[in-house]
Amino acid sequence: GEPADYRYYLDNLIEKKNELGIRVFGYCLMTNHVHLIVMPGKQVENISRLMRVLAARQTRRVNKRESRSGTLWEGRFKASLVDSDAYLLACYRYVDLNPVRAMLVADPIAYPWSSYRSHADPVGDDWLDESKTYTSLGNTGHDRARAYRSFVSKAIDADEIRFIRGALQRNQVTGNDQFRRVLERRTGRRLSTHCQGR
């Protein structure tokens, strides 16, 4: 992807998030996939709407430029519900360190297309939303940024990466049983933490 493509994706994300009442806590744009940490408003299905619009607009842009047709990304987007108390910061770290794991940069601050700068520096993306989990890291923007940098600099447990990646692959709930039961009541749907066949 070119810088202009990443910028176009973010511009559309900002426009649609405001329109659909979705809060965006974190992101990382990679060449062949995107990570978003989002919270829907009253309509959970707006997440699907957001992803459909972003994919359609990006596909049209690239297809027009490269005189091609077809989709940019294969298959439906993968989603995992996050237990905010226990796992949200771990998900922030997982997303923000994606360019480091992909060996694109040695330090996440060097990658311009992720939310790391906003989390690690009080002067970041002014459009990015702050979760209560993040604001609880400190009383001021500087305190929160310092605490987040410290949190990210601690080596991530390989099991944590496997856990989050596995949850995403299986579209499962990242969290505990109690959290899952609350979500099931709220959504009226049964949410399995086990891998289900397609």
Side-chain angles (χ1 to χ4, degrees):
E2 300 175 4
D5 291 335
Y6 291 131
R7 186 67 256 166
Y8 180 75
Y9 189 94
L10 287 180
D11 287 344
N12 283 309
L13 173 61
I14 295 163
E15 176 197 325
K16 297 308 290 186
K17 99 179 185 70
N18 292 330
E19 188 182 305
L20 296 169
I22 291 170
R23 300 178 75 201
V24 178
F25 297 142
Y27 68 91
C28 184
L29 310 186
M30 303 290 282
T31 52
N32 61 350
H33 67 281
V34 173
H35 291 274
L36 298 177
I37 302 174
V38 297
M39 187 169 90
K42 290 174 182 169
Q43 293 178 284
V44 177
E45 63 272 16
N46 277 352
I47 298 289
S48 293
R49 288 195 185 108
L50 173 73
M51 300 311 292
R52 274 200 307 272
V53 171
L54 292 177
R57 288 185 179 181
Q58 206 70 19
T59 299
R60 275 198 303 272
R61 177 186 172 85
V62 173
N63 284 354
K64 186 177 177 185
R65 185 180 67 227
E66 298 179 6
S67 301
R68 64 187 282 280
S69 63
T71 58
L72 279 184
W73 294 293
E74 292 303 316
R76 187 182 176 278
F77 71 91
K78 290 183 167 57
S80 176
L81 293 160
V82 176
D83 177 341
S84 58
D85 292 335
Y87 298 105
L88 186 57
L89 274 184
C91 290
Y92 274 40
R93 179 165 65 183
Y94 176 84
V95 167
D96 283 343
L97 283 180
N98 219 51
V100 177
R101 285 194 305 276
M103 293 188 286
L104 297 175
V105 291
D107 186 328
I109 200 77
Y111 194 74
W113 306 110
S114 85
S115 48
Y116 179 78
R117 292 179 184 198
S118 293
H119 296 143
D121 185 332
V123 184
D125 294 307
D126 57 3
W127 61 267
L128 202 66
D129 298 296
E130 287 189 341
S131 65
K132 286 180 186 169
T133 307
Y134 178 78
T135 55
S136 70
L137 288 176
N139 292 324
T140 68
H142 284 280
D143 290 343
R144 291 190 281 274
R146 192 182 308 111
Y148 186 74
R149 287 195 302 272
S150 171
F151 175 70
V152 170
S153 70
K154 295 184 176 88
I156 300 189
D157 190 296
D159 287 339
E160 180 179 298
I161 292 175
R162 272 196 299 274
F163 181 80
I164 295 172
R165 192 175 282 153
L168 277 171
Q169 291 300 323
R170 293 187 294 272
N171 293 315
Q172 75 176 172
V173 174
T174 306
N176 58 30
D177 287 341
Q178 182 185 353
F179 173 70
R180 194 175 79 248
R181 283 194 295 273
V182 169
L183 278 172
E184 285 175 345
R185 280 201 305 275
R186 195 177 299 163
T187 61
R189 291 172 56 204
R190 189 168 176 280
L191 304 165
S192 173
T193 56
H194 303 293
C195 186
Q196 293 183 329
R198 299 232 143 185

